[in-house]
Amino acid sequence: VAPKRRFRHSAGAAYIILILMMIGAISLANLIEARWQIPRTYIQPALYLLIAGCAVYVYRFHSITYRYTLTEEVFVIEQISISKTRFIATLSLNDVQEISANCSESYAKAKRHNASVLPKTNSIFITVDSEGSARSYLISPSEEFIHLLNAQWRLVRGAERR
């Protein structure tokens, strides 16, 4: 799942924001020096560190996508950032307690993981209880994938009860 390519997710928007932040930092440093006679050599490094932190955040927000894989008994969540893939979770469908579109009480009590590029209102919650520890995952699959996940989860839960 990747964020929809709107202006705020485009590479051009990221570069424009960073350039405007650089211009703003230089202007702010000049203003502080003129108004309070504090040398720019003290102010600019702090402002540049702040901009570097913002740049990392913008770059990360711009480049992260998620891959969800569903097999007969396992649901896998991976985070993809440029050329690096990181496994977030491998969930056994037997351990899944709840799949819902609303934030439930069990989600509030569990350790939370965000694996979604969409707002919470457009995502679904998966709550897992494995070995006594509850974890919840916020994911944003397509409608078709949600139906497949629910069907496979019900199938596994039905076979478990027999």
Side-chain angles (χ1 to χ4, degrees), residues 18 21 47-59:
L18 294 175
M21 288 178 72
L47 290 174
Y48 291 149
L49 284 174
L50 179 66
I51 290 171
C54 291
V56 168
Y57 177 77
V58 166
Y59 182 69

mmCIF file with all atom_site columns, all heavy atoms in Angstrom, residues 18 21 47-59:
data_model
loop_
_atom_site.group_PDB
_atom_site.id
_atom_site.type_symbol
_atom_site.label_atom_id
_atom_site.label_alt_id
_atom_site.label_comp_id
_atom_site.label_asym_id
_atom_site.label_entity_id
_atom_site.label_seq_id
_atom_site.pdbx_PDB_ins_code
_atom_site.Cartn_x
_atom_site.Cartn_y
_atom_site.Cartn_z
_atom_site.occupancy
_atom_site.B_iso_or_equiv
_atom_site.pdbx_formal_charge
_atom_site.auth_seq_id
_atom_site.auth_comp_id
_atom_site.auth_asym_id
_atom_site.auth_atom_id
_atom_site.pdbx_PDB_model_num
ATOM 1   N N   . LEU A 1 18 ? 11.523 21.987 1.804  1.00 0.00 ? 18 LEU A N   1
ATOM 2   C CA  . LEU A 1 18 ? 12.863 22.077 2.358  1.00 0.00 ? 18 LEU A CA  1
ATOM 3   C C   . LEU A 1 18 ? 13.569 23.366 1.937  1.00 0.00 ? 18 LEU A C   1
ATOM 4   O O   . LEU A 1 18 ? 14.267 23.989 2.748  1.00 0.00 ? 18 LEU A O   1
ATOM 5   C CB  . LEU A 1 18 ? 13.679 20.853 1.955  1.00 0.00 ? 18 LEU A CB  1
ATOM 6   C CG  . LEU A 1 18 ? 13.184 19.537 2.558  1.00 0.00 ? 18 LEU A CG  1
ATOM 7   C CD1 . LEU A 1 18 ? 13.979 18.363 2.012  1.00 0.00 ? 18 LEU A CD1 1
ATOM 8   C CD2 . LEU A 1 18 ? 13.245 19.573 4.073  1.00 0.00 ? 18 LEU A CD2 1
ATOM 9   N N   . MET A 1 21 ? 12.132 26.132 3.983  1.00 0.00 ? 21 MET A N   1
ATOM 10  C CA  . MET A 1 21 ? 12.642 26.072 5.348  1.00 0.00 ? 21 MET A CA  1
ATOM 11  C C   . MET A 1 21 ? 14.052 26.647 5.437  1.00 0.00 ? 21 MET A C   1
ATOM 12  O O   . MET A 1 21 ? 14.385 27.336 6.409  1.00 0.00 ? 21 MET A O   1
ATOM 13  C CB  . MET A 1 21 ? 12.614 24.633 5.856  1.00 0.00 ? 21 MET A CB  1
ATOM 14  C CG  . MET A 1 21 ? 11.210 24.127 6.136  1.00 0.00 ? 21 MET A CG  1
ATOM 15  S SD  . MET A 1 21 ? 11.177 22.417 6.670  1.00 0.00 ? 21 MET A SD  1
ATOM 16  C CE  . MET A 1 21 ? 11.844 22.576 8.298  1.00 0.00 ? 21 MET A CE  1
ATOM 17  N N   . LEU A 1 47 ? 19.400 26.101 13.911 1.00 0.00 ? 47 LEU A N   1
ATOM 18  C CA  . LEU A 1 47 ? 18.315 26.100 12.922 1.00 0.00 ? 47 LEU A CA  1
ATOM 19  C C   . LEU A 1 47 ? 18.550 25.044 11.850 1.00 0.00 ? 47 LEU A C   1
ATOM 20  O O   . LEU A 1 47 ? 17.609 24.379 11.404 1.00 0.00 ? 47 LEU A O   1
ATOM 21  C CB  . LEU A 1 47 ? 18.177 27.487 12.292 1.00 0.00 ? 47 LEU A CB  1
ATOM 22  C CG  . LEU A 1 47 ? 17.638 28.581 13.216 1.00 0.00 ? 47 LEU A CG  1
ATOM 23  C CD1 . LEU A 1 47 ? 17.699 29.938 12.524 1.00 0.00 ? 47 LEU A CD1 1
ATOM 24  C CD2 . LEU A 1 47 ? 16.228 28.267 13.653 1.00 0.00 ? 47 LEU A CD2 1
ATOM 25  N N   . TYR A 1 48 ? 19.796 24.857 11.432 1.00 0.00 ? 48 TYR A N   1
ATOM 26  C CA  . TYR A 1 48 ? 20.092 23.840 10.417 1.00 0.00 ? 48 TYR A CA  1
ATOM 27  C C   . TYR A 1 48 ? 19.864 22.427 10.956 1.00 0.00 ? 48 TYR A C   1
ATOM 28  O O   . TYR A 1 48 ? 19.429 21.541 10.218 1.00 0.00 ? 48 TYR A O   1
ATOM 29  C CB  . TYR A 1 48 ? 21.509 23.997 9.874  1.00 0.00 ? 48 TYR A CB  1
ATOM 30  C CG  . TYR A 1 48 ? 21.693 25.236 9.037  1.00 0.00 ? 48 TYR A CG  1
ATOM 31  C CD1 . TYR A 1 48 ? 22.905 25.897 8.990  1.00 0.00 ? 48 TYR A CD1 1
ATOM 32  C CD2 . TYR A 1 48 ? 20.654 25.767 8.287  1.00 0.00 ? 48 TYR A CD2 1
ATOM 33  C CE1 . TYR A 1 48 ? 23.077 27.045 8.218  1.00 0.00 ? 48 TYR A CE1 1
ATOM 34  C CE2 . TYR A 1 48 ? 20.804 26.906 7.517  1.00 0.00 ? 48 TYR A CE2 1
ATOM 35  C CZ  . TYR A 1 48 ? 22.022 27.540 7.496  1.00 0.00 ? 48 TYR A CZ  1
ATOM 36  O OH  . TYR A 1 48 ? 22.178 28.661 6.729  1.00 0.00 ? 48 TYR A OH  1
ATOM 37  N N   . LEU A 1 49 ? 20.154 22.218 12.235 1.00 0.00 ? 49 LEU A N   1
ATOM 38  C CA  . LEU A 1 49 ? 19.853 20.908 12.834 1.00 0.00 ? 49 LEU A CA  1
ATOM 39  C C   . LEU A 1 49 ? 18.347 20.667 12.875 1.00 0.00 ? 49 LEU A C   1
ATOM 40  O O   . LEU A 1 49 ? 17.887 19.551 12.612 1.00 0.00 ? 49 LEU A O   1
ATOM 41  C CB  . LEU A 1 49 ? 20.439 20.814 14.235 1.00 0.00 ? 49 LEU A CB  1
ATOM 42  C CG  . LEU A 1 49 ? 21.937 20.588 14.317 1.00 0.00 ? 49 LEU A CG  1
ATOM 43  C CD1 . LEU A 1 49 ? 22.405 20.655 15.769 1.00 0.00 ? 49 LEU A CD1 1
ATOM 44  C CD2 . LEU A 1 49 ? 22.315 19.253 13.705 1.00 0.00 ? 49 LEU A CD2 1
ATOM 45  N N   . LEU A 1 50 ? 17.595 21.691 13.190 1.00 0.00 ? 50 LEU A N   1
ATOM 46  C CA  . LEU A 1 50 ? 16.138 21.579 13.182 1.00 0.00 ? 50 LEU A CA  1
ATOM 47  C C   . LEU A 1 50 ? 15.634 21.257 11.771 1.00 0.00 ? 50 LEU A C   1
ATOM 48  O O   . LEU A 1 50 ? 14.773 20.390 11.590 1.00 0.00 ? 50 LEU A O   1
ATOM 49  C CB  . LEU A 1 50 ? 15.515 22.878 13.684 1.00 0.00 ? 50 LEU A CB  1
ATOM 50  C CG  . LEU A 1 50 ? 13.991 22.916 13.717 1.00 0.00 ? 50 LEU A CG  1
ATOM 51  C CD1 . LEU A 1 50 ? 13.453 21.934 14.736 1.00 0.00 ? 50 LEU A CD1 1
ATOM 52  C CD2 . LEU A 1 50 ? 13.522 24.328 14.017 1.00 0.00 ? 50 LEU A CD2 1
ATOM 53  N N   . ILE A 1 51 ? 16.193 21.917 10.775 1.00 0.00 ? 51 ILE A N   1
ATOM 54  C CA  . ILE A 1 51 ? 15.799 21.654 9.382  1.00 0.00 ? 51 ILE A CA  1
ATOM 55  C C   . ILE A 1 51 ? 16.195 20.236 8.970  1.00 0.00 ? 51 ILE A C   1
ATOM 56  O O   . ILE A 1 51 ? 15.434 19.554 8.284  1.00 0.00 ? 51 ILE A O   1
ATOM 57  C CB  . ILE A 1 51 ? 16.418 22.695 8.444  1.00 0.00 ? 51 ILE A CB  1
ATOM 58  C CG1 . ILE A 1 51 ? 15.757 24.051 8.677  1.00 0.00 ? 51 ILE A CG1 1
ATOM 59  C CG2 . ILE A 1 51 ? 16.282 22.276 6.976  1.00 0.00 ? 51 ILE A CG2 1
ATOM 60  C CD1 . ILE A 1 51 ? 16.431 25.193 7.975  1.00 0.00 ? 51 ILE A CD1 1
ATOM 61  N N   . ALA A 1 52 ? 17.365 19.778 9.408  1.00 0.00 ? 52 ALA A N   1
ATOM 62  C CA  . ALA A 1 52 ? 17.788 18.407 9.078  1.00 0.00 ? 52 ALA A CA  1
ATOM 63  C C   . ALA A 1 52 ? 16.810 17.390 9.671  1.00 0.00 ? 52 ALA A C   1
ATOM 64  O O   . ALA A 1 52 ? 16.446 16.407 9.014  1.00 0.00 ? 52 ALA A O   1
ATOM 65  C CB  . ALA A 1 52 ? 19.202 18.155 9.590  1.00 0.00 ? 52 ALA A CB  1
ATOM 66  N N   . GLY A 1 53 ? 16.365 17.631 10.904 1.00 0.00 ? 53 GLY A N   1
ATOM 67  C CA  . GLY A 1 53 ? 15.369 16.750 11.515 1.00 0.00 ? 53 GLY A CA  1
ATOM 68  C C   . GLY A 1 53 ? 14.067 16.762 10.745 1.00 0.00 ? 53 GLY A C   1
ATOM 69  O O   . GLY A 1 53 ? 13.456 15.721 10.506 1.00 0.00 ? 53 GLY A O   1
ATOM 70  N N   . CYS A 1 54 ? 13.638 17.943 10.334 1.00 0.00 ? 54 CYS A N   1
ATOM 71  C CA  . CYS A 1 54 ? 12.408 18.059 9.533  1.00 0.00 ? 54 CYS A CA  1
ATOM 72  C C   . CYS A 1 54 ? 12.581 17.372 8.176  1.00 0.00 ? 54 CYS A C   1
ATOM 73  O O   . CYS A 1 54 ? 11.652 16.744 7.675  1.00 0.00 ? 54 CYS A O   1
ATOM 74  C CB  . CYS A 1 54 ? 12.030 19.517 9.336  1.00 0.00 ? 54 CYS A CB  1
ATOM 75  S SG  . CYS A 1 54 ? 11.481 20.317 10.851 1.00 0.00 ? 54 CYS A SG  1
ATOM 76  N N   . ALA A 1 55 ? 13.768 17.500 7.586  1.00 0.00 ? 55 ALA A N   1
ATOM 77  C CA  . ALA A 1 55 ? 14.029 16.875 6.282  1.00 0.00 ? 55 ALA A CA  1
ATOM 78  C C   . ALA A 1 55 ? 13.944 15.354 6.380  1.00 0.00 ? 55 ALA A C   1
ATOM 79  O O   . ALA A 1 55 ? 13.384 14.698 5.501  1.00 0.00 ? 55 ALA A O   1
ATOM 80  C CB  . ALA A 1 55 ? 15.399 17.296 5.761  1.00 0.00 ? 55 ALA A CB  1
ATOM 81  N N   . VAL A 1 56 ? 14.481 14.801 7.449  1.00 0.00 ? 56 VAL A N   1
ATOM 82  C CA  . VAL A 1 56 ? 14.400 13.350 7.648  1.00 0.00 ? 56 VAL A CA  1
ATOM 83  C C   . VAL A 1 56 ? 12.944 12.924 7.780  1.00 0.00 ? 56 VAL A C   1
ATOM 84  O O   . VAL A 1 56 ? 12.517 11.931 7.186  1.00 0.00 ? 56 VAL A O   1
ATOM 85  C CB  . VAL A 1 56 ? 15.231 12.917 8.877  1.00 0.00 ? 56 VAL A CB  1
ATOM 86  C CG1 . VAL A 1 56 ? 14.928 11.488 9.283  1.00 0.00 ? 56 VAL A CG1 1
ATOM 87  C CG2 . VAL A 1 56 ? 16.702 13.096 8.597  1.00 0.00 ? 56 VAL A CG2 1
ATOM 88  N N   . TYR A 1 57 ? 12.161 13.689 8.536  1.00 0.00 ? 57 TYR A N   1
ATOM 89  C CA  . TYR A 1 57 ? 10.744 13.377 8.704  1.00 0.00 ? 57 TYR A CA  1
ATOM 90  C C   . TYR A 1 57 ? 9.997  13.461 7.372  1.00 0.00 ? 57 TYR A C   1
ATOM 91  O O   . TYR A 1 57 ? 9.240  12.553 7.024  1.00 0.00 ? 57 TYR A O   1
ATOM 92  C CB  . TYR A 1 57 ? 10.112 14.322 9.730  1.00 0.00 ? 57 TYR A CB  1
ATOM 93  C CG  . TYR A 1 57 ? 8.636  14.097 9.888  1.00 0.00 ? 57 TYR A CG  1
ATOM 94  C CD1 . TYR A 1 57 ? 8.148  13.025 10.616 1.00 0.00 ? 57 TYR A CD1 1
ATOM 95  C CD2 . TYR A 1 57 ? 7.714  14.942 9.269  1.00 0.00 ? 57 TYR A CD2 1
ATOM 96  C CE1 . TYR A 1 57 ? 6.792  12.806 10.752 1.00 0.00 ? 57 TYR A CE1 1
ATOM 97  C CE2 . TYR A 1 57 ? 6.351  14.726 9.397  1.00 0.00 ? 57 TYR A CE2 1
ATOM 98  C CZ  . TYR A 1 57 ? 5.909  13.662 10.134 1.00 0.00 ? 57 TYR A CZ  1
ATOM 99  O OH  . TYR A 1 57 ? 4.567  13.438 10.256 1.00 0.00 ? 57 TYR A OH  1
ATOM 100 N N   . VAL A 1 58 ? 10.214 14.531 6.619  1.00 0.00 ? 58 VAL A N   1
ATOM 101 C CA  . VAL A 1 58 ? 9.533  14.698 5.332  1.00 0.00 ? 58 VAL A CA  1
ATOM 102 C C   . VAL A 1 58 ? 9.952  13.604 4.362  1.00 0.00 ? 58 VAL A C   1
ATOM 103 O O   . VAL A 1 58 ? 9.131  13.002 3.669  1.00 0.00 ? 58 VAL A O   1
ATOM 104 C CB  . VAL A 1 58 ? 9.825  16.100 4.734  1.00 0.00 ? 58 VAL A CB  1
ATOM 105 C CG1 . VAL A 1 58 ? 9.416  16.181 3.274  1.00 0.00 ? 58 VAL A CG1 1
ATOM 106 C CG2 . VAL A 1 58 ? 9.127  17.169 5.543  1.00 0.00 ? 58 VAL A CG2 1
ATOM 107 N N   . TYR A 1 59 ? 11.238 13.301 4.319  1.00 0.00 ? 59 TYR A N   1
ATOM 108 C CA  . TYR A 1 59 ? 11.749 12.269 3.416  1.00 0.00 ? 59 TYR A CA  1
ATOM 109 C C   . TYR A 1 59 ? 11.161 10.909 3.776  1.00 0.00 ? 59 TYR A C   1
ATOM 110 O O   . TYR A 1 59 ? 10.735 10.153 2.918  1.00 0.00 ? 59 TYR A O   1
ATOM 111 C CB  . TYR A 1 59 ? 13.273 12.234 3.499  1.00 0.00 ? 59 TYR A CB  1
ATOM 112 C CG  . TYR A 1 59 ? 13.917 11.247 2.583  1.00 0.00 ? 59 TYR A CG  1
ATOM 113 C CD1 . TYR A 1 59 ? 13.901 11.430 1.208  1.00 0.00 ? 59 TYR A CD1 1
ATOM 114 C CD2 . TYR A 1 59 ? 14.543 10.118 3.080  1.00 0.00 ? 59 TYR A CD2 1
ATOM 115 C CE1 . TYR A 1 59 ? 14.499 10.522 0.357  1.00 0.00 ? 59 TYR A CE1 1
ATOM 116 C CE2 . TYR A 1 59 ? 15.138 9.208  2.244  1.00 0.00 ? 59 TYR A CE2 1
ATOM 117 C CZ  . TYR A 1 59 ? 15.117 9.416  0.884  1.00 0.00 ? 59 TYR A CZ  1
ATOM 118 O OH  . TYR A 1 59 ? 15.703 8.506  0.060  1.00 0.00 ? 59 TYR A OH  1
#
